[in-house]
Structures are given as structure tokens and as C-alpha cells.
Amino acid sequence: RLTCSKGNACLQCGDFRTTLEFLEQHKEHRERTKEALEVAKTNNWKRQIQVNEDVLNNLNNIINSLE
């Protein structure tokens, strides 16, 4: 499953807030994003690669800060 071409803009928003309560959902989202990134790389879909890498970086930052 690929993410939207705009990625998840909420993850980039300075007003985005989350708590430890949602850590597992963020980890699940990260796994889905990794899968989408692999599909995009396999197909050389440059825009989808960029979008999913951005989402992955944002999720990693969120998860690291919660852990």
C-alpha cells in the first residue's frame, strides 16, 4: 500500500502532538511506510521514494522522541 503523494503533512507540522499512548501506532505506520518505500524503490518511482523517505524520517524522529 503506497502513501499519498503528499505524504502525511501532519507529521511535519510544528503543531503536531502525540504521546506514548500512540507509540505502537507510529511503529505500525513506520513499518507500512518501509514497505511502501521498498515498492517505490523496486519500481524506481522517484516521487514516491522521496515522499516515503520524508514520512519515514518524521516517524523515526517521533518514535525516537517517545522512546
Side-chain angles (χ1 to χ4, degrees):
R1 175 178 145 190
L2 297 177
T3 59
C4 171
S5 66
K6 301 208 183 302
N8 188 333
C10 294
L11 296 177
Q12 299 175 5
C13 179
D15 293 325
F16 180 78
R17 300 291 181 263
T18 190
T19 64
L20 195 55
E21 172 185 4
F22 297 101
L23 181 59
E24 287 307 310
Q25 286 89 341
H26 295 307
K27 287 182 176 181
E28 290 170 8
H29 188 182
R30 180 173 61 184
E31 291 308 309
R32 290 192 311 272
T33 301
K34 286 179 180 178
E35 292 170 5
L37 184 56
E38 288 306 311
V39 170
K41 286 180 176 179
T42 297
N43 291 289
N44 199 31
W45 296 337
K46 294 183 186 319
R47 179 65 182 140
Q48 286 81 7
I49 292 169
Q50 179 187 13
V51 166
N52 283 293
E53 284 177 341
D54 290 344
V55 170
L56 184 59
N57 288 333
N58 289 328
L59 286 165
N60 284 333
N61 289 337
I62 289 167
I63 291 165
N64 289 338
S65 69
L66 290 173
E67 290 182 328

